[in-house]
Amino acid sequence: MSKLWLVTGAAGFIGCNLASTLLKRGCDVVGLDNFSTGNRENAARLEQKYGDRFRLIEGDIRDPSAVAQALEGVGTVAHLAAQVSVQKSIHDPVETDSINNNGYLGILSAAGKAGVKSFIYASSCAVYGDNEALPLAETEIPAPMSPYAVSKLSNDLYASAMTPLIPGMQITGLRFFNIFGPWQDASGGYAAVIPKWIDLCRAGTRPVMYGDGNATRDFCYVGNVVEAVWKIAAMESPLPHAVYNIGTGVGTSLLDLFDVIVAALKARGLTFSFEGPEKQPWK
Ligand code: NAD
């Protein structure tokens, strides 16, 4: 495995967790992030702990000069930077496409030209639409329901089409399910329901649950994502191109999730003035 990695979106939730583990395991990391949703504290923490071994370039993935600078000497790319909000993608599909497709294609092509060996990028379970038949296989027919989901499916299709054009580079897509873990921004959309509810409970505010609570999601700890990226980069005979689902394969209902959070907080001594969540119809 190459020692120098480029992690785009390194100031974001998954990016800073990945960069932290890579650095702990002896790799050096260049981060590329424009801080549109990323947190400066995530980058500062890594800079403080690892000094020169972590270098954050502030820039946009659509800026060819920032990308060229970030790719210098890099052997493995984890491309995580994206416009991640489904709602924003509905309000501004053109900007989402510009970041998630043009930006992705630019960095993929530049990585090929720069001699990168392994290019691992974040796709999403959103490509499957509302198919809740967990565990989902990668062979399920995609049914994207938002411009965000279309952009992620398009990444997978481009990866397949570009692989023969960049023979020296392994291209792997990872369809993340609902990822949770440390340094997750509680204001970061539906998938951030776990930190959001924890924060509300700790503040003594009754959380809102949309629907009857029986809707299920596949919640997957960010450490599993990090291990998946690590193992793909470490493969001795990798497939030139593959797309993998990264989830647990197990659905958890929102009601069960709420109970787990309450039990965990009670075990830490928190007391509750409310019985359950406040249920509201889906918006
Ligand atoms: P995040 O918002 O915390 O991180 C995304 C990072 O990309 C941010 O730091 C942001 O500033 C940066 N960024 C955005 N646009 C940029 C641009 N044009 N140039 C440079 N940097 C830019 O989100 P996350 O949850 O860490 O998601 C990481 C990746 O995983 C994304 O591609 C997302 O679509 C995908 N994903 C996440 C989940 C989840 O549950 N968190 C699920 C499926 C897929």
Side-chain angles (χ1 to χ4, degrees), residues 9 11-14 33-38 59-62 80-82 84 99 122-124 148 152 176-179 191:
F13 158 49
I14 298 174
D33 204 299
N34 68 355
F35 295 105
S36 51
T37 56
D60 196 294
I61 56 163
R62 293 166 292 179
L80 305 174
V84 300
I99 298 168
S123 182
S124 170
Y148 166 78
K152 292 293 179 177
F176 300 154
F177 280 64
N178 298 278
I179 312 302

